[in-house]
């Protein structure tokens, strides 16, 4: 085996014709043409182990743009790669080619016919967008991979994707009715099932279309017997081209023959998709077995009950999730066992779906080897358990004290009745190579997922990886299985297709591609005549990123920033646009560089230095991070906890070293200093900040959007009020420190006053630091880390005695509490006082729940917006519990980020984007909230943003708790400005 040289890690330098091609495309297309190094770096990899830098990227706005792009590429001999969500795991979505990204603009559902149970979609349509539209008519698109929130129909067609409910509806190939396709030589045609008479007419009509169909018919006739003999008859055969669809018994279905061809034959422009009835009621039964092998043995028994979904997970997956603290409440729902089957039943009513589950339970209960069983009738609990299964890939990639795991052999499939025996032999093979891997997947169709701790950085490790793949392919083929049961072949499995199908059919695959793509321009080197699985490795033996003396310590990544940038596995959860927090800028712009994945990929490329050559001074990296709101949504939502807010702070510190920062960095990054100065003359400061022309000048000097109002300074500040107030008699039972953050102290002290009164009323002795201190949260956005470290040192020194005495620190501002819990630990890893302080700091809700405080019931309706840092770092469980104890009938909005995010939305250049982010969910929800319904948001930024956009100022939890007390009745509308 030959390990490729660095120069062979293709595409670092674009071909000589690239500039001329880019110029031609820019002059022709309505869409966007990007041949710059930053864009090329963004698209250099997918979710696989492979990396190939593209020639350039085209983001078409129209089908005509696609046609023109392919024509221009044909004239210059440039390869073409159509791309959707970029979540492929086998390398089929990266190539030295012109990448056509359909996801930004060509993403519409063109029609939906409920009666005919069909939809017409563009290739960039996100699967969940189609499913949501179809569900309004009690229909669905059956295949649903775990990436369903952000993958595209074009990508699913390319890979022949499957998912949990392929048991109910089949693979993507079974759900495509017709395709509108474009060949590399410029022919556009609609393909689908073709009767013999129609086939004869097409051939007789001649032309390029007739030629293609004649060659396909000849290919079918030549290889029909071998196709029938060698294609595995199992539910999840995804490897190879779908030549069986050309057989007479399958209606010479050219569209379905092209499904799963991974962009190597044609470019899909539109697709007619079959929709199937969606059971309105679903019930989840979880079965626990002694191990995953016994669970697999019982799959045929469970299949007899006709579930619509049947998934399996092993104890290693559960143990790894526990090790990283992922979904602890969800895991607690599992019944006893060390291997589990998740069995879903559908029906027209809950009684019907549960009835089917109970029938199976009764049958299993009477068997000799009956499992533990748990039937769920709570929709939220069912959702939580499905989240455990869906998190498998991310949960197994980065486990503390374990090697990183990689794809490479992650979706082989066998007949379900052979699954138990196959898994036992597969585990023996892993053990023999010293590999580990969690086992999970679509057990009802015999498809197994796993990530394995391959060594892809040393020559010996890569040789061992190659040898393992060779034996693993022998094993699955020996069981009559498929190299791929879901993710396709790409380049990671294509080398073994001859083992599976034989030399004759591999030649048939080669001929099939040549019929469509005689020049070999369509995604070359994948599936047919493919690169070896050891070529184009993203890591490889020459992976040697420079060691960086970083400010943060990255304890979860061995103290290595480069390792932190490898955390992203590429599955693209950050490309969701309908739920969660990450990534707010992507949700609005739909730009890859504004997703967490895109930024992670650029950081990797920055350290590689082949395409992005300016390192920490990279303008491309600065541009991509500029719209990162530092919301930490990625750390909470990403399955591998990518922490882009921290990486951004690290980069900005290096980028701006010995450079002037933007004006906003000094105006808002240093807000603690400005607020302290202004607090001595609040009247004058507020006058200048609010009265034109002074306010106009201040905003201009500070880089602040003219539409924004500079927040008014409070008089007195919280600290001043606290010092002047008369404490209650007695010393209180225990001391607690209420942290007077910059925002609660200088701008909105009412929540702090309410918290002090509440804590003292329940018997605590409240204290504040003896001198002004700040955690420096606004500094991170601008990379002012040296100042942040100095401020933490001041805090650790000032609070040292209280820290060592175990005094609780209670924070009101979620961003500041998150800084104590996260940034402090990361900057001062190994410092025991820092560790203690981090552990002793809590939100008000967390503290009150920990001491079992029971407020008087308020019994009101409420709408709650959670702060991004709050959701990501502390979680909202304690807050939910306090809302319950208050008797609130509340709705916690899935509103993501408010869009203000500290100083982000104050900046002139980001004002419009800030409001667009808020308009996605938050602002409409606030406008629809009745005046007598409580509106809660603990974050200062959140309250300012809502006030600016809607005229309502939400309340802090402390204010609501005060409202609940008899001695402080308060009407929520009084918290709104006049």
């Amino acid at each position: 085996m030959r390990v490729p040289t660095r120069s062979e890690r293709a595409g670092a330098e674009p071909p000589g014709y690239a500039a001329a091609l880019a110029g031609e495309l820019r002059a022709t297309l309505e869409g966007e043409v990007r041949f710059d190094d930053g864009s090329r770096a963004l698209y250099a990899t997918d979710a696989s182990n492979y990396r190939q830098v593209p020639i350039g990227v085209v983001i078409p706005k129209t089908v005509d743009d696609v046609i023109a792009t392919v024509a221009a590429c044909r004239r210059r001999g440039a390869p073409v790669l159509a791309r959707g969500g970029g979540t492929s795991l086998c390398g089929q979505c990266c190539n030295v080619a012109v990448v056509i990204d359909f996801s930004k603009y060509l993403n519409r559902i063109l029609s939906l016919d409920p009666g005919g149970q069909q939809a017409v979609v563009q290739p960039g349509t996100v699967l969940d967008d189609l499913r949501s539209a179809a569900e309004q008519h009690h229909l669905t698109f059956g295949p649903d991979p775990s990436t369903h929130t952000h993958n595209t129909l074009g990508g699913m067609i390319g890979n022949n994707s499957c998912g949990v409910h392929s048991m109910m509806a089949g693979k993507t190939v079974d759900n495509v009715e017709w395709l509108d396709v474009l060949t590399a030589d410029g022919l556009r045609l609609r393909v689908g099932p073709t009767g013999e008479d129609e086939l004869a007419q097409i051939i007789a009509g001649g032309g390029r279309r007739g030629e293609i169909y004649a060659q396909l018919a000849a290919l079918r006739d030549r290889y029909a017997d071998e196709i029938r003999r060698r294609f595995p008859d199992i539910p999840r055969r995804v490897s190879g081209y779908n030549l069986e669809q050309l057989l007479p018994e399958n209606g010479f279905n050219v569209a379905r023959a092209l499904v799963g061809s991974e962009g190597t034959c044609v470019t899909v422009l539109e697709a007619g998709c079959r929709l199937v009835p969606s059971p309105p009621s679903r019930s989840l039964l979880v079965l626990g077995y002694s191990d995953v092998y016994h669970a697999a043995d019982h799959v045929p028994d469970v299949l007899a009950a006709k579930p619509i979904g049947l998934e399996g997970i092993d104890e290693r997956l559960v143990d790894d999730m526990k090790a990283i603290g992922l979904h602890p409440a969800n895991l607690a729902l599992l019944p006893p066992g060390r291997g589990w089957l998740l069995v879903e039943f559908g029906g027209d009513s809950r009684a019907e779906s549960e009835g089917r589950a109970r029938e199976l339970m009764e049958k299993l209960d009477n068997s000799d080897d009956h499992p533990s069983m748990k039937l769920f009738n709570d929709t939220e609990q069912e959702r939580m358990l499905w989240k455990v299964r869906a998190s498998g890939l991310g949960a197994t990639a980065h486990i503390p004290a374990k090697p990183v795991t990689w794809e490479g052999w992650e979706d082989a499939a066998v007949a379900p009745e052979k699954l138990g025996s196959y898994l036992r032999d597969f585990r023996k093979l892993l053990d023999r190579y010293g590999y580990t891997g969690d086992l999970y997947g679509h057990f009802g169709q015999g498809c197994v997922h796993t990530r394995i701790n391959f060594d892809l950085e040393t020559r010996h490790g890569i040789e061992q990886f190659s040898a393992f793949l060779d034996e693993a392919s022998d094993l699955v083929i020996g069981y009559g299985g498929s190299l791929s049961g879901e993710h396709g072949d790409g380049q990671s499995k294509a080398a073994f297709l001859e083992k599976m199908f034989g030399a004759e059919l591999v030649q048939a695959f080669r001929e099939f591609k040549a019929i469509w793509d005689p020049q070999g321009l369509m995604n070359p080197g994948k599936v047919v005549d493919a690169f070896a699985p050891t070529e184009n490795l993203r890591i490889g033996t020459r992976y040697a990123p420079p060691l960086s003396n970083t400010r943060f310590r990255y304890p979860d990544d061995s103290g290595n920033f480069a390792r932190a940038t490898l955390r992203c596995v590429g599955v693209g959860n950050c490309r969701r646009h309908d739920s969660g927090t990450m990534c707010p800028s992507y949700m609005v712009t739909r730009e890859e560089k504004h997703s967490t994945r895109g930024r992670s990929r650029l950081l990797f490329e920055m350290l590689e230095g082949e395409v992005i050559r300016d390192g920490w001074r990279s303008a491309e990296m600065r541009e991509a991070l500029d719209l990162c709101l530092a919301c930490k949504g990625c750390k909470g939502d990403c399955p591998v906890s990518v922490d882009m807010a921290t990486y951004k702070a690290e980069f900005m510190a290096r980028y701006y070293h010995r450079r002037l920062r933007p004006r906003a960095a000094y105006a808002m990054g240093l807000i603690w200093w400005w607020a302290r100065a202004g607090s001595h003359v609040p009247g004058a400061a507020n006058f200048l900040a609010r009265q034109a022309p002074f306010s106009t000048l201040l905003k201009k000097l500070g880089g602040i959007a003219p539409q924004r109002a500079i927040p008014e300074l409070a008089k007195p500040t919280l600290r001043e009020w606290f010092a002047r107030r008369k404490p209650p008699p007695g010393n209180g039972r225990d001391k607690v420190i209420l942290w007077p953050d910059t925002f609660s102290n200088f701008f909105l002290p009412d929540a702090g006053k309410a918290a002090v009164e509440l804590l003292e009323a329940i018997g605590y002795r409240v204290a504040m630091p003896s001198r002004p201190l700040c955690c420096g949260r606004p500094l991170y956005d601008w990379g002012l880390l040296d100042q942040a470290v100095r401020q933490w040192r001041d805090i650790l020194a000032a609070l040292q005695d209280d820290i060592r005495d175990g005094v609780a620190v209670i924070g009101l501002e979620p961003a500041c509490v998150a800084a104590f819990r996260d940034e402090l630990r990361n900057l001062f890893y190994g410092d025991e006082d820092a560790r203690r302080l981090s552990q002793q700091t809590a939100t008000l809700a967390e503290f009150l729940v920990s001491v079992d405080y029971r407020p008087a019931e308020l019994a009101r309706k409420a709408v709650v917006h959670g702060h991004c840092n709050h959701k990501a770092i502390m979680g909202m469980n304690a807050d939910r519990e306090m809302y319950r104890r208050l008797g609130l009938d509340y709705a916690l909005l899935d509103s993501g980020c408010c869009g203000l995010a500290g100083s982000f939305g104050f900046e002139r250049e980001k004002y419009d984007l800030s409001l667009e982010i808020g308009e996605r969910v938050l602002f409409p929800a606030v406008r629809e909230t009745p005046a007598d319904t409580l509106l809660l948001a603990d974050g200062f930024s959140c309250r300012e943003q809502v006030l600016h956009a809607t005229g309502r100022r939400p309340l802090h939890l402390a204010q609501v708790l005060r409202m609940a007390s008899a001695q402080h009745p308060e009407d929520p509308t009084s918290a709104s400005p006049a």
Side-chain angles (χ1 to χ4, degrees):
M1 183 207 70
R2 182 180 65 83
V3 177
T5 66
R6 189 173 187 82
S7 63
E8 292 173 313
R9 294 180 64 178
E13 292 293 337
Y17 59 75
L21 176 59
E24 179 182 350
L25 291 171
R26 290 191 184 101
T28 306
L29 304 189
E30 184 182 344
E32 299 163 22
V33 179
R34 303 174 181 177
F35 279 50
D36 60 283
D37 289 341
S39 296
R40 295 173 62 236
L42 269 175
Y43 289 83
T45 189
D46 46 17
S48 72
N49 296 332
Y50 303 104
R51 172 183 177 266
Q52 291 176 278
V53 182
I55 298 166
V57 180
V58 170
I59 304 178
K61 286 189 175 180
T62 66
V63 169
D64 286 343
D65 279 353
V66 180
I67 295 170
T69 299
V70 172
C73 290
R74 178 175 66 252
R75 286 191 290 271
R76 299 184 185 274
V80 175
L81 168 58
R83 175 165 160 147
T87 60
S88 296
L89 286 156
C90 302
Q92 58 265 63
C93 251
C94 58
N95 215 324
V96 183
V98 174
V99 173
I100 304 176
D101 183 348
F102 286 86
S103 64
K104 184 174 180 180
Y105 297 117
L106 293 177
N107 54 24
R108 292 183 296 123
I109 301 169
L110 299 176
S111 67
L112 198 155
D113 175 12
Q117 296 189 4
Q118 188 175 124
V120 179
V121 300
Q122 293 180 312
T125 304
V126 170
L127 173 57
D128 267 7
D129 289 349
L130 174 60
R131 294 206 308 163
S132 297
E135 282 290 352
Q136 297 177 29
H137 308 283
H138 309 294
L139 298 170
T140 191
F141 186 77
D144 57 343
S146 59
T147 53
H148 55 84
T149 61
H150 54 281
N151 69 6
T152 67
L153 270 297
M156 293 182 69
I157 291 166
N159 287 354
N160 195 9
S161 299
C162 306
V164 174
H165 294 104
S166 293
M167 286 189 59
M168 179 177 74
K171 305 185 290 290
T172 296
V173 68
D174 304 308
N175 294 276
V176 168
E177 301 287 7
W178 56 264
L179 295 174
D180 180 3
V181 301
L182 176 70
T183 65
D185 54 12
L187 177 67
R188 181 178 181 180
L189 69 165
R190 177 164 160 162
V191 297
T194 316
E196 290 300 313
D197 291 343
E198 183 185 2
L199 176 60
Q201 290 175 2
I202 293 172
I203 294 172
R208 177 67 174 126
R209 184 184 185 217
E211 177 188 331
I212 288 173
Y213 273 74
Q215 291 177 339
L216 290 174
L219 180 120
R220 172 199 65 183
D221 295 340
R222 191 161 56 251
Y223 294 106
D225 291 341
E226 191 71 358
I227 292 169
R228 293 186 182 102
R229 186 173 74 86
R230 293 297 298 259
F231 271 56
D233 185 18
I234 60 175
R236 285 294 188 94
R237 195 277 307 159
V238 171
S239 280
Y241 290 144
N242 289 325
L243 299 187
E244 84 285 1
Q245 295 293 336
L246 297 177
L247 298 176
E249 57 265 35
N250 293 323
F252 199 78
N253 196 319
V254 179
R256 292 185 176 182
L258 287 168
V259 171
S261 56
E262 303 183 11
T264 61
C265 297
V266 297
T267 299
V268 175
L269 303 176
E270 289 181 11
C273 300
R274 178 177 76 117
L275 303 176
V276 298
S278 177
S281 177
R282 304 187 183 203
S283 296
L284 178 63
L285 171 65
V286 183
L287 308 175
Y289 293 87
S290 57
D291 55 44
V292 72
Y293 315 110
H294 283 86
D297 290 338
H298 285 77
V299 162
D301 297 332
V302 178
L303 285 174
K306 300 190 182 309
I308 63 172
L310 175 51
E311 303 290 291
I313 59 176
D314 73 354
E315 80 284 357
R316 296 179 189 227
L317 175 64
V318 171
D319 289 344
D320 283 346
M321 285 188 173
K322 289 177 179 176
I324 60 176
L326 188 65
H327 310 314
N330 308 24
L331 295 172
L333 296 172
L334 291 169
R338 296 188 65 76
W340 294 267
L341 295 178
L342 280 66
V343 192
E344 186 177 58
F345 292 91
D348 291 332
S349 65
R350 194 77 182 187
E352 182 181 353
S353 59
E354 279 195 14
R356 290 176 178 170
R358 293 190 186 280
E359 286 179 16
L360 176 61
M361 294 174 72
E362 184 177 351
K363 179 181 176 182
L364 294 175
D365 204 33
N366 293 327
S367 64
D368 293 334
D369 187 16
H370 63 83
S372 61
M373 294 180 275
K374 195 169 183 180
L375 177 61
F376 293 85
N377 55 19
D378 182 286
T379 303
E380 177 61 19
Q381 289 185 337
E382 291 174 356
R383 185 193 65 79
M384 291 166 68
L385 279 168
W386 282 120
K387 195 169 184 180
V388 169
R389 164 59 190 88
S391 299
L393 188 152
T396 60
H398 298 271
I399 308 299
K402 289 188 178 183
V404 175
T405 61
W406 305 94
E407 68 86 12
W409 191 258
E410 76 297 319
D411 72 320
V414 298
E417 61 270 18
K418 298 179 180 179
L419 183 59
S421 298
Y422 168 71
L423 287 181
R424 290 180 176 89
D425 286 344
F426 182 63
R427 180 60 73 189
K428 290 176 185 176
L429 179 64
L430 288 171
D431 291 344
R432 187 149 51 81
Y433 275 84
Y435 289 148
T436 60
D438 303 351
L439 302 176
Y440 57 97
H442 311 292
F443 280 21
Q445 294 191 311
C447 181
V448 182
H449 295 321
T450 186
R451 289 179 67 92
I452 299 171
N453 59 323
F454 299 124
D455 169 9
L456 300 179
E457 295 186 49
T458 68
R459 179 176 293 275
H460 172 72
I462 294 171
E463 289 172 347
Q464 187 179 39
F465 166 63
S466 180
F468 171 83
L469 294 182
D470 193 40
E471 288 200 54
S473 60
D474 286 339
L475 177 63
V476 73
I477 291 167
Y479 271 94
S482 177
L483 301 167
S484 172
E486 184 162 35
H487 298 152
D489 298 314
Q491 75 166 84
S492 70
K493 306 185 188 78
F496 309 108
L497 287 175
E498 189 167 323
K499 283 186 186 183
M500 179 175 166
F501 292 101
E504 189 174 349
L505 282 184
V506 168
Q507 176 58 27
F509 295 158
R510 193 173 288 116
E511 293 174 17
F512 181 77
K513 173 178 170 61
I515 289 169
W516 295 101
D517 179 30
Q519 290 180 264
L521 297 180
M522 303 302 297
N523 204 9
K526 309 301 160 88
V527 185
V528 169
D529 298 323
F531 296 105
T534 52
E535 292 183 274
N536 303 319
L537 289 173
R538 186 158 63 100
I539 306 300
T541 58
R542 289 165 180 80
Y543 175 67
L547 293 175
S548 302
N549 184 22
T550 56
R551 271 73 163 183
F552 287 101
R553 305 291 291 277
Y554 305 101
D556 296 331
D557 294 293
S558 304
N560 188 325
F561 180 77
R563 288 290 164 185
T565 68
L566 286 179
R567 202 163 255 282
C568 174
V569 294
V571 295
N573 278 18
C574 46
R575 287 172 57 96
R576 292 176 303 183
H577 58 264
D578 61 345
S579 63
T581 302
M582 75 169 182
C583 186
S585 49
Y586 175 80
M587 289 180 180
V588 172
T589 67
R590 302 293 180 91
E591 286 280 357
E592 176 72 14
K593 70 179 177 183
H594 297 145
S595 70
T596 304
R597 181 180 73 180
R599 292 167 179 141
S600 294
R601 296 313 196 209
L602 282 179
L603 285 167
F604 173 87
E605 294 291 338
M606 178 192 83
L607 295 179
E608 279 287 277
E610 287 185 349
V611 183
I612 296 179
R613 300 174 180 85
D614 296 332
W616 295 97
R617 297 286 190 169
S618 164
E620 297 94 340
M621 195 70 250
R622 167 69 176 82
E623 182 182 348
L625 288 171
D626 187 48
L627 296 190
C628 169
L629 285 83
C631 68
K632 287 193 175 286
C634 47
K635 186 159 187 177
D637 288 2
C638 174
V640 288
S641 300
V642 169
D643 186 3
M644 194 53 60
T646 296
Y647 308 162
K648 176 184 178 180
E650 191 76 67
F651 174 82
M652 293 302 183
R654 294 297 196 92
Y655 181 83
Y656 284 115
H657 181 59
R658 295 180 179 174
R659 282 180 171 177
L660 283 175
R661 289 170 166 80
R663 287 171 292 171
Y666 305 105
M668 290 170 282
L670 305 180
I671 190 172
W672 182 59
W673 284 270
W674 295 118
R676 282 181 69 194
S679 69
H680 296 297
V681 284
N686 288 335
F687 174 82
L688 293 174
R690 294 293 177 121
Q691 186 66 46
F694 310 108
S695 61
T696 304
L697 178 61
L698 285 174
K699 291 175 189 177
K700 188 172 183 179
L701 290 173
I704 298 171
Q707 302 92 328
R708 291 286 181 187
I710 299 175
E712 286 195 20
L713 291 164
K715 181 176 176 58
T717 66
L718 177 61
R719 285 178 58 85
E720 289 169 345
W721 170 86
F722 184 78
R724 296 171 189 171
R725 90 202 191 292
K726 184 177 180 182
N731 291 325
R733 60 188 183 203
D734 289 305
K735 178 182 179 181
V736 296
I737 295 173
L738 185 72
W739 183 255
D741 63 86
T742 297
F743 313 104
S744 300
N745 182 45
F746 292 113
F747 299 106
L748 294 178
D750 189 65
K753 297 175 185 178
V756 169
E757 291 165 356
L758 170 65
L759 292 167
E760 289 181 338
I762 60 178
Y764 285 93
R765 180 163 53 91
V766 180
M768 288 186 185
S770 58
R771 61 188 180 90
L773 296 168
C774 177
C775 70
R777 182 66 195 84
L779 299 171
Y780 300 110
D781 297 345
W782 303 101
L784 294 164
L785 298 183
D786 292 337
Q787 292 92 324
V789 167
R790 286 195 291 270
Q791 290 185 225
W792 280 121
R793 293 196 189 283
D794 288 344
I795 291 170
L796 291 170
L799 300 184
Q800 186 179 76
D801 291 341
D802 290 316
I803 292 169
R804 295 180 179 181
D805 287 343
V807 176
V809 177
I810 302 169
L812 299 170
E813 171 55 42
C816 296
V817 177
F820 277 85
R821 298 271 277 271
D822 190 48
E823 276 87 358
L824 173 59
R825 171 180 173 269
N826 203 336
L827 286 167
F828 289 82
Y829 186 71
D831 184 304
E832 287 302 309
D833 281 337
R835 181 185 63 80
R836 294 184 186 105
L837 178 57
S838 181
Q839 292 177 345
Q840 288 164 215
T841 303
T843 66
L844 180 63
E846 287 176 323
F847 178 79
L848 293 176
V849 169
S850 73
V851 298
D852 199 27
Y853 171 64
R854 302 280 171 172
E857 284 202 11
L858 196 57
R860 296 281 295 275
K861 288 183 178 293
V863 170
V864 183
H865 167 74
H867 187 282
C868 301
N869 287 192
H870 196 154
K871 290 179 285 191
I873 304 302
M874 290 82 75
M876 297 289 291
N877 287 342
D879 300 80
R880 287 175 180 269
E881 177 60 19
M882 288 310 302
Y883 305 151
R884 186 190 68 79
R885 293 181 185 184
L886 279 163
L888 296 180
D889 177 8
Y890 73 95
L892 180 57
L893 298 175
D894 186 8
S895 46
C897 181
C898 72
L900 191 58
S903 65
F904 182 92
F906 275 99
E907 295 176 56
R908 181 190 299 268
E909 298 80 7
K910 297 167 185 172
Y911 174 78
D912 290 337
L913 178 64
S914 169
L915 292 189
E916 287 185 69
I917 292 169
E919 288 289 357
R920 195 181 64 82
V921 174
L922 178 58
F923 299 163
V926 171
R927 294 183 189 114
E928 293 169 7
T929 300
D932 61 349
T933 296
L934 298 174
L935 188 60
L936 277 75
D938 283 1
F940 173 79
S941 293
C942 309
R943 285 177 278 165
E944 286 296 304
Q945 178 80 321
V946 171
L947 174 64
H948 176 75
T950 72
R952 289 191 65 174
R953 186 187 292 283
L955 298 169
H956 191 284
L957 174 62
Q959 294 169 296
V960 176
L961 288 167
R962 179 174 62 186
M963 190 188 305
S965 64
Q967 62 266 39
H968 285 94
E970 182 177 316
D971 179 67
T973 58
S974 67
S976 299

